[in-house]
Amino acid sequence: KSICRSKMVTRERTEERTTKNRLATIKRKQSEGLPACLAAAIELGTEAVAVTDSQGYVHYVNAAFERMTGYTREEVAGHSLHILDSGRHDEAFFECIQKTLASDGIWRGRLINRKKDGALYHEECTHALIKDPSGKIINHLSVRRDVTERLRLESIAEEIDTMKNNGYILSGICHEIGNAVNSLGVILSVMKAKLARLDTAAITGYVESAADEAQKAAYIIRCMKNYNVHTKPEIQQVPLQEFLAKFLALVLDDLAAKGIVINASIDAGVQLCYADPRALHQVMLNLLINASDALEGRADPRVSIRISKSGKNVRVKVEDNGCGMSEDQLRNMFKPFHTTKTHGTGLGLVIVRKLLTAMNGSVTVTSIKDIGTALDILIPGERVLTGNMSEAVSDAAAMDGPPGGIA
């Protein structure tokens, strides 16, 4: 019996050792194959990956990075990722990123960067520090995703939601016109009570104030008429050189009278866009009015208009060196009746986005307080079938992802 028991124990121990050896072999093979699998996954992935050394110089980028930025890995090797810097973020922005990395070891956010061909794009980025066992930083890793098209479709979906919100619009109309009517009533009541003892100059002052309030109400009504236009845009080929020349001829004198210098250019090879020329004229006029207001009181007021190609779209960039906007103002700028101007209605940019949406276009805004504002308009450079719009909006509404960018 003791001999049998000894053989059983020996057999069990042998099987246990064999199992442990087999598991160790499997783990070793998995460990050996893991780097190759990871390398293949990163290289074939759809998100751009960049690895830099501790000083920020590029060691590796994958194929998705090349497709997204237009730079080859040979062109960026040994360079800083600031080669992508668009100039849209100030030093304070990057200092904030560095502080977050120092405290948390990882930063997630959104950047506006510039491709090799000069086109701007929005990217969501996760940037992390890679440390050795002693805690020393040996690499920086960033994973990036181009979200430009997603943001464009989201802006179209948001505009459609705004257009459907009739209660909100009606409430704004009642408030704005109500203010003008109430002010008019107060002015007339005061004038009536004092009429017997007022001289001609005083009566004239009251009448002018009343007329101002009446004109304000009329202006709001005109804006709402433009906002609520249901006419389907007449999309056609718009020769951009001719369009820009005619538009500038109408606005140059008014801008010059205010001391504003305007520079306009069209990149070589950009000839046509598909839009309603009347609607596009209104869009440009509204943007120039906003820029003019933002430049009031500035020492060297300037506006630039640049028309370039962006994929299948035509990009119209209108930039000024005016007062700029805060983050809070940017968040609310497309809300009807929201304005920071004493003489504004809060409908100018709302109408701009409505008109562009109807033409399968979009508008994005970047601004830095006390430095200036840039508006990027995308208009189809090729004819778009309007039947695809509902699908595009549905896709945009269905998209989900983290908020998000580091050059």
Side-chain angles (χ1 to χ4, degrees), residues 359-377:
M359 297 187 291
N360 297 296
S362 63
V363 56
T364 57
V365 184
T366 55
S367 186
I368 300 176
K369 188 69 174 174
D370 297 323
I371 293 180
T373 299
L375 293 100
D376 278 309
I377 296 171

Side-chain angles (χ1 to χ4, degrees), residues 220-239:
I220 294 170
I221 291 171
R222 286 198 303 274
C223 287
M224 285 311 304
K225 182 180 178 182
N226 288 334
Y227 178 79
N228 202 39
V229 153
H230 293 290
T231 304
K232 186 178 179 180
E234 297 178 7
I235 304 299
Q236 57 189 269
Q237 281 189 353
V238 179

Side-chain angles (χ1 to χ4, degrees), residues 117-384:
D117 64 5
L120 297 180
Y121 68 101
H122 295 255
E123 68 172 34
E124 288 176 350
C125 175
T126 299
H127 191 94
L129 301 179
I130 309 300
K131 300 180 180 180
D132 65 14
S134 68
K136 180 183 177 181
I137 298 172
I138 54 176
N139 291 108
H140 291 245
L141 169 69
S142 65
V143 181
R144 301 152 179 266
R145 179 193 306 167
D146 188 339
V147 294
T148 307
E149 182 65 9
R150 193 190 84 186
L151 294 178
R152 188 181 78 84
L153 294 175
E154 284 176 351
S155 72
I156 293 174
E158 184 181 347
E159 170 58 19
I160 290 173
D161 286 340
T162 301
M163 288 190 282
K164 290 179 179 178
N165 196 348
N166 293 328
Y168 180 81
I169 300 297
L170 182 60
S171 174
I173 295 171
C174 292
H175 175 74
E176 295 296 326
I177 295 182
N179 283 346
V181 171
N182 289 337
S183 297
L184 182 58
V186 169
I187 292 168
L188 293 177
S189 295
V190 172
M191 186 175 71
K192 180 180 178 181
K194 298 181 178 181
L195 189 58
R197 56 182 183 276
L198 290 176
D199 57 23
T200 302
I203 293 173
T204 300
Y206 279 111
V207 171
E208 288 177 349
S209 297
D212 287 343
E213 295 300 328
Q215 288 174 2
K216 186 183 295 184
Y219 178 67
I220 294 170
I221 291 171
R222 286 198 303 274
C223 287
M224 285 311 304
K225 182 180 178 182
N226 288 334
Y227 178 79
N228 202 39
V229 153
H230 293 290
T231 304
K232 186 178 179 180
E234 297 178 7
I235 304 299
Q236 57 189 269
Q237 281 189 353
V238 179
L240 290 168
Q241 289 280 4
E242 180 183 345
F243 172 84
L244 187 60
K246 289 181 178 179
F247 176 75
L248 291 176
L250 293 173
V251 300
L252 279 177
D253 288 344
D254 287 339
L255 292 175
K258 297 179 180 181
I260 299 173
V261 176
I262 183 167
N263 295 307
S265 64
I266 301 179
D267 284 6
V270 184
Q271 298 177 347
L272 301 170
C273 72
Y274 283 85
D276 183 322
R278 297 169 304 167
L280 186 57
H281 177 90
Q282 185 65 52
V283 165
M284 295 297 295
L285 190 60
N286 283 15
L287 297 186
L288 263 291
I289 290 172
N290 278 0
S292 176
D293 290 339
L295 289 165
E296 187 173 348
R298 304 295 282 187
D300 180 28
R302 287 176 282 108
V303 176
S304 69
I305 301 173
R306 182 189 173 191
I307 300 177
S308 59
K309 194 73 174 174
S310 179
K312 295 182 179 180
N313 296 311
V314 169
R315 181 188 302 275
V316 182
K317 179 180 178 182
V318 180
E319 192 169 13
D320 66 67
N321 62 336
C323 59
M325 288 180 280
S326 65
E327 290 294 328
D328 184 61
Q329 289 171 324
L330 278 172
R331 281 192 295 270
N332 294 299
M333 65 184 305
F334 288 110
K335 290 183 179 179
F337 304 108
H338 182 89
T339 181
T340 57
K341 298 186 290 188
T342 56
H343 59 282
T345 62
L347 290 173
L349 285 176
V350 177
I351 292 171
V352 163
R353 193 165 71 170
K354 178 183 172 70
L355 291 172
L356 287 170
T357 300
M359 297 187 291
N360 297 296
S362 63
V363 56
T364 57
V365 184
T366 55
S367 186
I368 300 176
K369 188 69 174 174
D370 297 323
I371 293 180
T373 299
L375 293 100
D376 278 309
I377 296 171
L378 288 180
I379 310 166
E382 301 175 0
R383 188 174 292 279
V384 177

Side-chain angles (χ1 to χ4, degrees), residues 46-111:
T46 58
E47 295 188 337
V49 175
V51 179
T52 67
D53 62 19
S54 59
Q55 301 301 312
Y57 296 108
V58 174
H59 276 193
Y60 167 81
V61 297
N62 66 349
F65 182 96
E66 294 180 305
R67 291 193 299 270
M68 186 173 80
T69 67
Y71 287 100
T72 65
R73 58 193 71 194
E74 291 79 16
E75 288 174 316
V76 297
H79 291 278
S80 164
L81 287 175
H82 281 288
I83 194 173
L84 303 175
D85 193 358
S86 65
R88 295 298 182 86
H89 305 291
D90 57 13
E91 289 300 321
F93 178 83
F94 290 109
E95 287 175 5
C96 181
I97 293 176
Q98 296 301 332
K99 288 180 181 178
T100 302
L101 286 172
S103 61
D104 302 337
I106 190 168
W107 176 85
R108 295 183 179 89
R110 184 175 292 164
L111 280 174

